[in-house]
Structures are given as structure tokens and as C-alpha cells.
Amino acid sequence: MKERNFDEWLSKFKTSISSYDYYIDFDKVVRNVDEIKIELNILNTLIGSKNIESEFVDITAKYPETLKCIPLMLAVRSTEIYAQDEEGIFLYNFKNKNYDIEQYIIFMRKTGLFNIIENHLVNNLVDYALGIETGLDSNGRKNRGGHQMEELVEKYIKAAGLEKNKTYYKEMNLADVEKKWNIDLSKISNAGKTVKRFDFVIKTDNMIYGCETNFYGGGGSKLNETARSYKMLSQEADSIDGFTFVWFTDGIGWKSARGNLRETFEVMEHVYSIDDMEQGIMERVFE
């Protein structure tokens, strides 16, 4: 393989790999709201109410399950909510009511929920819940972003003719690699003290490849730590016959940590970008 130029390699890193479903998982959003849709529609009768407290008492007495909707209305994913004021400390349970209803009225008033409902600041609590679920789901983008790089790498692994659970394996623990192929990887597990899981393990006739994947659209201290740790992992793997560490990474976030990435690039033979995969590196490495 010809010698590579780091600056040229880095210049081809991608700004984003986000697919359409990266932003919001609407199937999940709708599914979560559907689970409490009936209860939300019951609470809809409180919108614009002139006697919201007494009506709230009546509704929760007849339909106590409506209480379970309240945490979501505050964008909280829990059946319990902690609150304190000059009157004391409270841990409200909205699955199994643990205070008199009067205390829940205080909660609804002090959190502002009664205000937006009785003053008709929302028109429909189902729509309101959909909006909150959408906002909460946006917090899952980080996890989806990590999985996107894995999915992209797997696409190229398959295109290279490798078969899942035959010639490549997903999320495989180091201990399982040792057991399956009778190989000693203690040099990279600190004699078994370190628990390590590879995103992919690829097995060819002559080599076992442990692969890591990541994509960084933004900078941060984690990038320097990642580059240093993978440099060390690669050097440790080089001392093991029959095992090679491979790193697939990309993202313009690396431009803020180019120094550490350069150090790793210069000593690590098998570090590749999306552009490398597009140019057929899988076929050349895993032949």
C-alpha cells in the first residue's frame, strides 16, 4: 500500500453522515403517545376549565390512570418527580398515588400545568404530548449518530463479500474472540482485567481483525483521548500474532484534534476513513 498523506486524508473527512431517520424517530414518538392517548383525551376536558381544581379531583377519582400522563407533560421520563418548597420535600409518584389529591393539585399549580390548561395555552394535550415526545427524542441523536457509522461500515463490509456470523461478527467481546479462535489477547486486555468489546470482528484465513468505528461531527476532549487510546491499542495488537486492530473513523470534528490523530495515523497502519471505504479498502485489507 502506498504511503498516505495525513493532510490529504483528513481533508476528505465528512461534515455529516446523517440519514433521514437521524433527526426524529417518529414511529417511536407516536408509539409512546398512543400508550397514553386515551388518558390524555380525558384530561383534554380540563382545557379552558373555570373550575379546573375541582374537575381535576373528579377526573382523577374516576380515572386515576390519568395521573400517569403528568410527567410527560413536564418532559420527564419517570413515574416519580421530586419537588421542594418552603412547605417541604416531596417525591410524587404518578403511577401509584402516594399523596392526597390536594397535594397533586399543588403540584399542578406550582409547575404551571394548570395555568397552560385552564388558560387554553394548549389546544389539545395529545398534540402537546407529541411535541414533547419529539423534543425528548431529539436527545437520542447522539446514540443514533454512533450507530450510523457502524451501519455505514457494515454496509461496506457486506459489499466486500463478508457474511454476518460467518466471516464477520458484530459487538463481540474480547473474551469471546479468545474463546472462539483460541487466541491469547491478554496483551490488550491487561491480562484479562480490561473488558473490551469490538464493534466488528472480521475473520479471514490468516488473520483476526478487531474493528472500532466512530464519527465525530464536532470537537471535544474525547477525540484526543480516543486517538491516544487507539494508538496504544494498535501498538499492543501489533505484538500479537494473528490479530490486527482496525479503526474506521471520520468527521470534521477531528480537525480540532488533528495533532493527536496525526500521531496515531503515523504509527497505525490500519486507520481508515469513509473515503477509504469508498475507494475499496475493505476488499484490499480483508482479502
Side-chain angles (χ1 to χ4, degrees):
M1 189 180 297
K2 69 176 183 179
E3 186 174 342
R4 298 185 294 168
N5 179 278
F6 174 78
D7 292 319
E8 180 182 349
W9 181 69
L10 184 64
S11 70
K12 296 178 181 178
F13 276 26
K14 311 292 185 183
T15 302
S16 174
I17 54 171
S18 298
S19 56
Y20 289 105
D21 58 1
Y22 163 75
Y23 299 98
I24 298 293
D25 182 349
F26 279 113
D27 288 339
K28 177 184 173 184
V29 167
V30 172
R31 186 167 61 250
N32 288 346
V33 174
D34 277 347
E35 290 179 358
I36 57 171
K37 191 173 184 178
I38 293 174
E39 291 80 6
L40 287 169
N41 275 312
I42 293 171
L43 291 175
N44 267 336
T45 61
L46 295 174
I47 293 176
S49 172
K50 302 301 182 183
N51 301 291
I52 194 167
E53 293 185 6
S54 62
E55 290 182 19
F56 179 74
V57 170
D58 293 340
I59 285 175
T60 55
K62 190 172 183 179
Y63 307 103
E65 64 275 13
T66 55
L67 282 176
K68 69 183 180 183
C69 302
I70 293 174
L72 178 62
M73 293 165 68
L74 292 171
V76 174
R77 287 206 190 283
S78 175
T79 58
E80 294 184 322
I81 295 182
Y82 175 97
Q84 66 178 48
D85 58 13
E86 64 281 357
E87 300 298 324
I89 296 172
F90 303 91
L91 183 61
Y92 295 87
N93 191 310
F94 292 91
K95 183 177 181 180
N96 300 303
K97 187 161 69 75
N98 58 335
Y99 297 115
D100 291 339
I101 194 60
E102 287 74 18
Q103 189 62 48
Y104 284 86
I105 289 174
I106 292 172
F107 179 92
M108 296 292 288
R109 183 62 69 190
K110 289 195 172 184
T111 57
L113 284 174
F114 272 166
N115 178 56
I116 66 168
I117 295 172
E118 67 185 338
N119 290 313
H120 218 143
L121 299 180
V122 293
N123 294 318
N124 186 297
L125 292 177
V126 175
D127 294 343
Y128 175 72
L130 281 168
I132 291 178
E133 278 287 355
T134 299
L136 289 172
D137 188 73
S138 68
N139 295 327
R141 289 176 188 168
K142 183 178 180 181
N143 290 333
R144 287 194 290 270
H147 290 307
Q148 281 188 325
M149 187 61 174
E150 286 183 30
E151 291 167 1
L152 184 62
V153 170
E154 186 173 16
K155 183 183 78 171
Y156 284 102
I157 288 174
K158 289 179 177 178
L162 297 166
E163 295 183 60
K164 188 174 182 180
N165 297 328
K166 290 185 178 180
T167 49
Y168 86 89
Y169 303 81
K170 289 189 69 174
E171 298 183 348
M172 196 170 190
N173 291 325
L174 188 147
D176 293 331
V177 176
E178 290 183 311
K179 183 177 180 181
K180 186 172 182 64
W181 290 291
N182 192 28
I183 185 171
D184 181 5
L185 301 179
S186 58
K187 290 181 180 179
I188 60 176
S189 68
N190 190 19
K193 296 177 184 177
T194 302
V195 177
K196 175 66 183 170
R197 184 181 69 178
F198 294 105
D199 291 333
F200 297 97
V201 173
I202 294 172
K203 180 66 173 71
T204 65
D205 292 339
N206 304 311
M207 186 63 63
I208 300 169
Y209 297 91
C211 308
E212 289 287 345
T213 71
N214 44 49
F215 183 93
Y216 294 105
S221 59
K222 183 178 180 181
L223 281 78
N224 290 323
E225 178 187 341
T226 299
R228 285 192 295 265
S229 65
Y230 284 0
K231 173 185 175 182
M232 182 181 300
L233 180 56
S234 175
Q235 291 171 327
E236 292 167 343
D238 287 344
S239 65
I240 302 173
D241 290 336
F243 184 83
T244 298
F245 176 59
V246 184
W247 181 22
F248 297 100
T249 193
D250 211 297
I252 59 171
W254 279 114
K255 295 186 177 181
S256 67
R258 63 172 62 229
N260 285 87
L261 184 60
R262 183 190 295 272
E263 289 181 15
T264 304
F265 177 87
E266 290 176 349
V267 301
M268 185 174 175
E269 179 182 358
H270 297 289
V271 53
Y272 303 114
S273 66
I274 293 172
D275 181 70
D276 291 323
M277 290 190 285
E278 292 172 344
Q279 301 306 316
I281 194 63
M282 295 289 189
E283 290 83 353
R284 296 196 296 274
V285 174
F286 307 124
E287 59 184 1

